[in-house]
Each structure stands twice: as C-alpha cells, then as structure tokens.
C-alpha cells in the first residue's frame, strides 16, 4: 500500500502555508527556549557544563550566550528576515543539541538537557528523558530543513523585500 499523495497542483498552493507554519513554529521554539534561560545565565552555563564535553569556562560562556542566540533566531524567524540563514543556524544548533543529548545518554550521565530552562545534573532518583528530547529536536530539525529548502513564506520581511505577493486559491 502506498501513502496518499498530494496532487501535484496542490503542492505549490500548500507549500507557502506549510512554510509559514514551520517558520512560526520554529520561531516559537527559539523564543520560549531563550526566554526561559535569559533570566539566569549562570544556570544556562551550568546546563551546558553538565554535558561534560567542554572546559568549565568555555561551557559557561557558551551557556550564557546561547539564550541570546536563541532569541535572535526566534525574532528573525518570527518576522521572516534572513529565513534561510536562520534555518541553517537552527539546523546546526539542533544537530549539536541532538549529538550532545545522545552523548550524555551513551555515557550514562543523568542530566536535564536544559533546553527549556535550568537543566544540569538531576537529583538522585530522577531519570533523564533522553529519547523524547532527541525525538523532539529531530522534529524541530525537520522544520528547519523545510525552511532551508523553501525559505519564502507569506507575511515575511524576506517576501516583502523581494516583492512577493501571496496568492490564495479559492477552490
């Protein structure tokens, strides 16, 4: 049995709307992730350090910078400016995050990823949730991949600068 296919004529009409959903969805992810960490940069640094792959000083600097990078990506995607660049940086970050989580899992570390908050070492008796975190980030990576391939979306600064107009099929 083969999967149902979208008729070829509908794909060009649906793609921009799927693109805006991907762009706004990924923007929301970055804005929430950055906002939950920006108030406590030291905790963000401890979360990065918990992965035990970087020297402490470098981990804390990266942890302190990460919320601002996430917020910047979120704003760029929200307004649709430099969408392909923001999607590429998003994809690279997500690959790093998936690799880091998989590394922590394979080394038997018991940490919270710190993706949407403080993160760091888990208390005794708490179990990490690595598989759902990896699957979630892979889903976000699919959104970034979509935007890398089709960065032009309705209601975006990129489209406005290029003079794009949105055509909606009434049928």
């Amino acid at each position: 049995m083969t999967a149902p296919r979208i008729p070829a004529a509908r794909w060009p009409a649906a793609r921009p709307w799927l693109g805006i959903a991907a762009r706004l969805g990924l923007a929301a992810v970055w804005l929430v992730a950055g906002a939950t960490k920006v108030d406590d940069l030291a905790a963000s640094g401890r979360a990065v350090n918990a992965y035990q792959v970087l020297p402490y000083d470098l981990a804390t600097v990266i942890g302190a910078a990460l919320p601002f990078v996430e917020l910047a990506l979120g704003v760029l995607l929200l307004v649709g400016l430099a969408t392909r660049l923001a999607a590429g940086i998003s994809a690279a970050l997500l690959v790093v995050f998936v690799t880091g989580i998989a590394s922590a899992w394979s080394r038997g570390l018991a940490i919270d990823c710190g993706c949407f908050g403080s993160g760091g070492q888990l208390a005794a008796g708490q179990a990490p949730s690595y598989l759902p975190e990896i699957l979630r980030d892979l889903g976000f990576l699919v959104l970034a991949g979509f935007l890398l391939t089709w960065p032009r979306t309705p209601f975006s600064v990129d489209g406005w600068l290029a003079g794009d107009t949105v055509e909606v099929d009434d049928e």
Side-chain angles (χ1 to χ4, degrees):
M1 182 196 283
T2 61
R5 296 190 46 140
I6 298 174
R10 290 191 186 163
W11 175 244
R15 188 176 62 221
W17 302 105
L18 292 172
I20 196 168
R23 182 171 59 83
L24 295 178
L26 197 54
V29 167
W30 290 131
L31 290 170
V32 170
T36 59
K37 293 182 272 212
V38 77
D39 286 339
D40 191 353
L41 299 179
S44 184
R46 286 190 300 275
V48 172
N49 188 57
Y51 286 89
Q52 301 176 12
V53 293
L54 299 170
Y56 177 79
D57 290 337
L58 183 57
T60 57
V61 169
I62 289 173
L66 189 58
F68 298 102
V69 171
E70 291 169 338
L71 289 170
L73 288 171
V75 168
L76 287 172
L77 289 166
L78 182 65
V79 300
L81 179 62
T83 302
R84 180 170 275 149
L85 175 64
I89 294 169
S90 295
L93 273 178
L94 288 161
V95 167
V96 169
F97 293 165
V98 168
T99 302
I101 295 167
S103 171
W105 191 6
S106 71
R107 292 180 290 134
L109 299 178
I111 63 172
D112 178 334
C113 75
C115 302
F116 294 96
S118 58
Q121 296 294 328
L122 292 174
Q126 284 186 307
S129 57
Y130 295 129
L131 183 59
E133 291 168 352
I134 289 171
L135 293 175
R136 176 201 63 213
D137 286 355
L138 289 173
F140 298 152
L141 186 58
V142 168
L143 297 180
F146 187 98
L147 292 171
L148 272 169
T149 307
W150 297 289
R152 285 284 172 68
T153 61
F155 312 110
S156 67
V157 174
D158 288 339
W160 177 74
L161 291 172
D164 290 351
T165 58
V166 178
E167 293 181 21
V168 179
D169 189 9
D170 291 332
E171 293 181 21

